[in-house]
Amino acid sequence: MAPSRVAIYPGSFDPLTLGHVDIIERGSALFDSIIVAVLRNVEKSPLFTVDERLEMIRDTFRERGNVEADSFSGLLVDYASSRKATTIVRGIRAISDFEYEFQMALMNRRLAPAIETVFMMPAEEYSYVSSRLVKEVASLGGNVSGLLPEDVEKRLLERVRRKPMEG
Ligand SMILES: Nc1ncnc2c1ncn2[C@@H]1O[C@H](COP(=O)(O)OP(=O)(O)OP(=O)(O)O)[C@@H](O)[C@H]1O
Ligand SMILES: [Mg+2]
């Protein structure tokens, strides 16, 4: 039997958007399994804790047997090796994503030549969606329906109502 093809989809997912969901679904169709890996990044000040973000991902993909949510810190390639993943999945929204993603992919290749990075494009309607923008709009009272899974939208609205974003 061929070894199973495991992909890692890393990010902050603060919170999960339908853009992320789109990429995860494409990845889940392409690979035997896909691990959505939440980066434990001490520098950023997130709106949701890592555990809350993991819970939202798990709830959203309850019925997809080959989608797993996990968290990691340190080098992505070390985490990928520890999970026996052969592929890193990233989403590309616009040219603006390209430069940073290109640098990261080549640096990761240098660190771990056996791990391949694969880029996927979301459906057009999600090609401008980012967690940051969705949080900003929600905190200013704008309508974000259709951009997030329903449960995530509920939690986001609760959170920004209780804790308006600063700045
Ligand atoms: N709407 C989207 N379509 C396609 N790929 C996306 C989309 N949003 C995020 N991604 C990709 O998902 C991965 C993880 O991204 P990340 O967690 O930074 O999300 P983000 O929405 O960009 O959040 P933030 O606004 O906090 O940077 C990256 O590869 C990013 O390019
Ligand atoms: Mg981003």
Side-chain angles (χ1 to χ4, degrees):
M1 207 175 74
S4 82
R5 294 212 160 257
V6 179
I8 305 267
Y9 178 40
S12 5
F13 306 102
D14 182 38
L16 183 75
T17 69
L18 287 183
H20 297 131
V21 169
D22 180 291
I23 298 296
I24 294 165
E25 284 173 349
R26 288 173 203 283
S28 119
L30 215 50
F31 297 97
D32 294 315
S33 66
I34 181 163
I35 301 168
V36 183
V38 178
L39 174 61
R40 293 184 176 273
N41 187 343
V42 282
E43 279 166 53
K44 283 194 187 172
S45 60
L47 188 60
F48 292 99
T49 67
V50 169
D51 286 340
E52 287 172 326
R53 287 178 259 161
L54 287 171
E55 194 181 307
M56 289 185 269
I57 297 164
R58 287 180 187 136
D59 284 352
T60 304
F61 291 98
R62 247 181 337 252
E63 268 140 45
R64 284 241 179 190
N66 71 341
V67 176
E68 178 190 330
D70 192 12
S71 65
F72 76 103
S73 54
L75 280 179
L76 173 61
V77 291
D78 290 342
Y79 173 69
S81 306
S82 78
R83 297 302 315 266
K84 302 202 180 345
T86 53
T87 312
I88 294 167
V89 165
R90 295 288 285 176
I92 292 272
R93 282 163 289 201
I95 305 284
S96 51
D97 278 336
F98 181 80
E99 190 169 350
Y100 175 72
E101 294 293 341
F102 184 79
Q103 283 186 344
M104 289 294 294
L106 290 183
M107 181 57 79
N108 283 331
R109 177 179 288 165
R110 181 192 163 95
L111 295 169
I115 299 175
E116 206 64 67
T117 299
V118 164
F119 294 105
M120 282 192 283
M121 282 166 289
E124 265 166 52
E125 67 243 58
Y126 304 127
S127 62
Y128 63 93
V129 178
S130 73
S131 298
R132 185 192 56 74
L133 194 56
V134 167
K135 284 185 285 193
E136 195 173 317
V137 170
S139 72
L140 296 171
N143 182 358
V144 293
S145 70
L147 304 179
L148 304 160
E150 273 174 33
D151 286 352
V152 174
E153 184 186 337
K154 259 183 230 146
R155 293 179 72 150
L156 175 62
L157 295 180
E158 262 166 43
R159 182 61 49 98
V160 297
R161 235 177 269 140
R162 226 175 305 128
K163 173 188 164 187
M165 288 210 300
E166 288 153 35

